[in-house]
Amino acid sequence: MFSFTYHETHQNKARLGTLTTPHGIIETPAFIFCATKAAMKGLTVDQMRQAGSQIILSNTYHLSLQPGAELVEKMGGLQKFTGWNGPMLTDSGGFQIFSLGHGSVASEIKGKRLGNRSKTLLKITEEGARFRSYWDGRLHLLTPEDSIRIQRSLGADLILVLDECTPYHVDKSYTAKSMELSHRWAVRSLDEFDRLDNNKQKLYGIIQGGVYPDLRQQSCDFVNSQPFFGHAIGGCLGGSKDQMQEVVDMAAPHLDRDRPIHLLGIGGVLDILKGVEKGIDTFDCVHPTRIARHGGALVRPIHNPKPHREHINLRNNQYLFDDTPIEPDCPCHTCTTYSKAYLHHLLKVQEMVAHTLISIHNVQFMNRLMAAIRQSLADDTFPDEKKQWALF
């Protein structure tokens, strides 16, 4: 029912794989789209399928608060509840512990500081994370066992252990203690998973250790020693894009390659291309639909007036009279039907359909990217293919 097979390529650590789940097969490398609250922002599951998507993820933390895991289970699990009859992943809620307490990974890399939402996190202890619901203000305690039970009720194919994701600004001593706590939580998560195992889900361990090579090595050794189905590289990935790549280099080479390797929360085109070279099999990020809501359309360098950037901003007045599609060779519904001038107009008058139309393109762009990566790895043309998608 579950399996992961792969074969090596001639491109560094890059590999082609097949990840089989009860709800379908994922060809890797692959991108996982974020339906955080059991819905894609602005898109239906049919539109996701039409764009070639293989797998989506939802969030344990948010769904545990609304509508509640029990309701989702009564509705037949996430696949039936959402209408997405395909592979799904749920994260553990650990990332929300981090983002509510310290700010998101993306905010760190962009140099942003904390907002008021940090006040919702009250305390992290050996038992778990105590927080106040942003939904209704009630107090909650999320333990490793709770996270596994919630994810069991949600019913995704692939699930994650509960961890604390440390921020960039803490010192090595705190990072080490947090990593050790996450390892103990991982053991508890695994024990609860084994207790409830129904052969319908598989569990990923998470690699922590911040920006410190020796801690990352310790965390890799830990997850390798445990019977997880897959690995997920998480935690603080540094304060810049360059440091993020260094952190991935600290972890990826030391992981058991017989297991699928996931990179949490990263979705930039250049980051994906570099990650594939390091042996990463799957990626996830809200990036494609988030930038769409702000007028951002993903394009290859050849179609970008600023080729060092990975998207164009359709709000800009330069597109006022532009009768060309976002990308002339893109087969998506948006590009075969609408001009940049029309999308610019929709954004200016704040029509919600603009976000949907740009998201359709961005999702298909990401799926085209991953398909091109897989084909080029099979054809041994990856170095040339990379240049079509990003400037190195």
Side-chain angles (χ1 to χ4, degrees):
M1 190 176 293
F2 284 95
S3 66
F4 176 66
T5 59
Y6 67 93
H7 67 266
E8 304 284 1
T9 70
H10 299 296
Q11 306 301 325
N12 296 323
K13 296 291 185 179
R15 59 185 182 173
L16 285 164
T18 302
L19 178 54
T20 302
T21 77
H23 288 93
I25 294 173
I26 306 154
E27 300 296 333
T28 64
F31 187 82
I32 303 177
F33 294 93
C34 295
T36 302
K37 299 177 182 178
M40 293 298 302
K41 295 287 188 183
L43 295 175
T44 67
V45 292
D46 286 339
Q47 289 169 322
M48 291 298 293
R49 291 191 194 95
Q50 290 165 9
S53 307
Q54 298 189 81
I55 176 173
I56 62 176
L57 72 80
S58 290
N59 178 259
T60 295
Y61 170 84
H62 291 293
L63 294 181
S64 69
L65 299 179
Q66 173 60 36
E70 297 83 1
L71 185 147
V72 175
E73 186 173 28
K74 287 179 180 178
M75 294 297 104
L78 279 173
Q79 277 87 358
K80 186 174 181 181
F81 191 49
T82 63
W84 172 264
N85 188 25
M88 291 192 75
L89 179 146
T90 46
D91 57 9
S92 65
F95 177 77
Q96 276 61 42
I97 293 171
F98 165 68
S99 62
L100 293 175
H102 304 291
S104 71
V105 172
S107 295
E108 280 196 328
I109 291 175
K110 294 173 183 175
K112 295 181 180 178
R113 295 302 174 220
L114 312 184
N116 292 331
R117 292 185 71 197
S118 64
K119 296 177 182 178
T120 61
L121 175 63
L122 302 179
K123 194 174 185 179
I124 294 175
T125 67
E126 188 71 36
E127 186 178 9
R130 191 172 298 279
F131 63 93
R132 189 178 299 277
S133 168
Y134 70 88
W135 187 260
D136 58 15
R138 294 182 181 179
L139 295 177
H140 294 268
L141 174 68
L142 182 65
T143 69
E145 292 81 7
D146 291 333
S147 176
I148 295 299
R149 287 192 290 267
I150 292 167
Q151 292 183 85
R152 175 71 71 204
S153 296
L154 295 175
D157 304 274
L158 307 172
I159 68 176
L160 272 64
V161 300
L162 183 65
D163 64 328
E164 182 195 2
C165 186
T166 53
Y168 179 61
H169 62 263
V170 300
D171 61 20
K172 185 176 182 179
S173 176
Y174 182 93
T175 302
K177 290 177 181 178
S178 173
M179 178 193 72
E180 291 163 359
L181 174 65
S182 289
H183 289 174
R184 294 192 295 273
W185 282 2
V187 171
R188 288 167 56 189
S189 297
L190 187 57
D191 287 345
E192 185 69 3
F193 178 84
D194 288 341
R195 188 180 73 83
L196 301 174
D197 191 12
N198 58 6
N199 295 316
K200 294 181 180 180
Q201 296 178 307
K202 288 297 182 182
L203 183 64
Y204 278 56
I206 298 180
I207 295 87
Q208 291 288 347
V211 298
Y212 306 102
D214 56 332
L215 297 184
R216 286 286 177 176
Q217 179 68 66
Q218 289 180 39
S219 197
C220 288
D221 292 342
F222 165 78
V223 295
N224 285 337
S225 72
Q226 302 296 318
F228 296 117
F229 177 77
H231 305 297
I233 300 174
C236 171
L237 297 176
S240 68
K241 293 250 183 191
D242 288 341
Q243 193 170 34
M244 179 188 72
Q245 294 298 333
E246 292 173 4
V247 172
V248 176
D249 278 332
M250 295 175 194
H254 305 293
L255 293 170
D256 182 348
R257 285 179 63 80
D258 288 335
R259 305 174 186 179
I261 302 173
H262 181 74
L263 182 57
L264 287 161
I266 298 300
V269 174
L270 184 58
D271 299 329
I272 288 173
L273 291 166
K274 290 182 177 180
V276 166
E277 290 183 307
K278 301 176 195 299
I280 306 300
D281 301 297
T282 52
F283 307 79
D284 79 85
C285 194
V286 298
H287 182 63
T289 51
R290 174 173 286 173
I291 64 169
R293 297 194 296 277
H294 299 281
L298 292 166
V299 295
R300 287 169 292 164
I302 193 173
H303 300 309
N304 199 332
K306 299 178 180 178
H308 63 284
R309 301 194 66 188
E310 296 181 354
H311 70 274
I312 57 173
N313 187 349
L314 291 168
R315 293 182 182 273
N316 291 345
N317 282 336
Q318 71 188 88
Y319 301 112
L320 181 64
F321 298 104
D322 192 331
D323 63 355
T324 65
I326 297 172
E327 288 195 305
D329 51 355
C330 175
C332 79
H333 171 70
T334 302
C335 287
T336 57
T337 311
Y338 304 104
S339 68
K340 290 197 280 288
Y342 181 62
L343 297 170
H344 172 82
H345 158 69
L346 294 177
L347 290 164
K348 285 294 186 180
V349 296
Q350 299 183 12
E351 288 288 350
M352 290 188 296
V353 71
H355 307 153
T356 294
L357 292 175
I358 301 170
S359 292
I360 287 172
H361 167 77
N362 286 355
V363 168
Q364 187 142 348
F365 179 95
M366 295 301 295
N367 287 325
R368 288 167 53 219
L369 166 66
M370 303 313 298
I373 288 172
R374 292 192 296 271
Q375 189 62 55
S376 68
L377 291 175
D379 296 341
D380 200 19
T381 58
F382 184 61
D384 292 331
E385 190 65 39
K386 289 191 303 181
K387 298 173 185 177
Q388 305 300 314
W389 295 89
L391 295 183
F392 279 74

